[in-house]
Amino acid sequence: QVQLVESGGGLVQAGGSLRLSCAASGSIFSINAMGWYRQAPGKQRELVARITSGGSTNYADSVKGRFTISRDNGKNTMYLQMNSLKPEDTAVYYCNAVVMKYSTYPTSYDYWGQGTQVTVSS
């Protein structure tokens, strides 16, 4: 099985910073794209940022210039540096990874973390 474990969420004042981490573990052959999604109360889950195995990134317009996604392929870990946080960034943040397991080679599947709460107070 593959597990994605997020950490780094919490409560921060507007203008502050947080750094989220997502560590993947299990019988992993390779990880293709990874991404951060968020879901605020009463809203649909939305893409925040995404990074390919080669390091190409894309961001939601609402976070461009404030958030930075990165990954350490050797550690199967992804990060999200969030600066200049706003109250509207408050949500549960989920890690997503497209993973190829040894047992399912060459097919990849989507995996999700359990989510970490980010709350930005005004």
Side-chain angles (χ1 to χ4, degrees), residues 48-82:
V48 176
R50 189 172 179 269
I51 185 167
T52 67
S53 57
S56 297
T57 60
N58 63 283
Y59 296 89
D61 287 343
S62 59
V63 307
K64 281 181 181 177
R66 299 188 298 122
F67 291 10
T68 302
I69 190 172
S70 61
R71 63 190 282 179
D72 183 332
N73 291 331
K75 296 181 178 180
N76 287 338
T77 301
M78 174 180 63
Y79 306 96
L80 185 68
Q81 178 66 44
M82 304 186 293

Side-chain angles (χ1 to χ4, degrees), residues 4-9 20-23 33-51 67 69 78-80 82 89-98 111-118:
L4 302 180
V5 179
E6 300 106 331
S7 60
L20 305 183
S21 298
C22 170
M34 301 183 78
W36 290 99
Y37 292 72
R38 67 186 181 188
Q39 188 166 18
K43 295 188 176 181
Q44 289 190 332
R45 189 174 297 189
E46 63 175 0
L47 174 68
V48 176
R50 189 172 179 269
I51 185 167
F67 291 10
I69 190 172
M78 174 180 63
Y79 306 96
L80 185 68
M82 304 186 293
D89 294 318
T90 296
V92 177
Y93 283 70
Y94 296 92
C95 168
N96 171 264
V98 181
Y111 291 88
W112 291 88
Q114 80 288 351
T116 184
Q117 177 70 47
V118 171

